[in-house]
Amino acid sequence: MLLDLKRIFGAYDAPVTHHLSLDLSGADFPGYTVPGPVSAQITATLCGRVLELALQIEADIAFECARCLAESERHFSIERVYSVREADLSDADAELSFTPDGKLDLEELAYTEIVLEVPSVLLCDENCAGLCPVCGSRKPCSCRHETSGFADERLSVLKQLLE
């Protein structure tokens, strides 16, 4: 959806609010997916000569835990406020990218905010212990194998210092 900011600047009489349900399931996210619809709301309020854009996004993401590889989901609530001057609509260096006719692509903005907000390393739980190096199952496992703790046998002498 495109939000016409030129029109809002030209005929502003009250705050403008849009509620959106965006389908980003086909978008290319780095290491995760957004399987369901993304709920977004944007409110434009003119304060003097500056248009304040308040964006709220609610999104569920699906990912594979970086430690144990378990499939997980997490909910993200994102809130951002942008200040836009009318001159920004034609400025190539503005914080937001606008179409030549002064419109803002809300789907692109939501995608960008999700990419910026979601961490690059996602864990199913902050206390996730990962996988057992012996049996490969999630820790804690029922593995009874002893490991020397040293991958290189030449360093096994150091193990005696720990005992």
Side-chain angles (χ1 to χ4, degrees):
M1 175 186 173
L2 295 175
L3 182 63
D4 191 349
L5 297 180
K6 267 191 179 179
R7 191 184 67 159
I8 293 172
F9 271 113
Y12 183 85
D13 59 350
V16 177
T17 300
H18 289 285
H19 300 275
L20 309 164
S21 181
L22 304 170
D23 180 18
L24 297 177
S25 59
D28 185 25
F29 288 97
Y32 54 90
T33 60
V34 179
V38 173
S39 173
Q41 176 182 313
I42 191 158
T43 302
T45 307
L46 192 60
C47 303
R49 293 183 177 195
V50 177
L51 188 64
E52 296 287 330
L53 298 175
L55 176 67
Q56 296 175 324
I57 300 171
E58 300 290 329
D60 291 320
I61 65 160
F63 61 94
E64 190 175 80
C65 177
R67 287 189 188 150
C68 71
L69 307 177
E71 294 294 325
S72 300
E73 273 198 25
R74 187 179 303 163
H75 180 79
F76 283 87
S77 294
I78 304 167
E79 294 185 17
R80 294 282 187 267
V81 176
Y82 302 97
S83 297
V84 179
R85 296 174 300 126
E86 198 164 4
D88 292 339
L89 300 179
S90 58
D91 185 1
D93 295 329
E95 180 181 11
L96 300 173
S97 59
F98 306 102
T99 64
D101 56 345
K103 295 180 181 174
L104 177 63
D105 186 349
L106 297 179
E107 187 169 332
E108 180 183 328
L109 182 61
Y111 171 83
T112 303
E113 287 302 333
I114 291 171
V115 169
L116 293 174
E117 180 69 22
V118 174
S120 58
V121 176
L122 293 162
L123 303 176
C124 60
D125 179 33
E126 65 182 52
N127 297 323
C128 178
L131 299 175
C132 174
V134 175
C135 67
S137 58
R138 285 185 74 182
K139 291 182 184 176
C141 65
S142 59
C143 179
R144 298 190 192 280
H145 303 315
E146 288 288 324
T147 59
S148 68
F150 297 99
D152 189 339
E153 288 300 320
R154 294 175 292 175
L155 299 175
S156 63
V157 175
L158 296 175
K159 183 179 180 187
Q160 295 171 1
L161 296 174
L162 297 174
E163 295 175 351

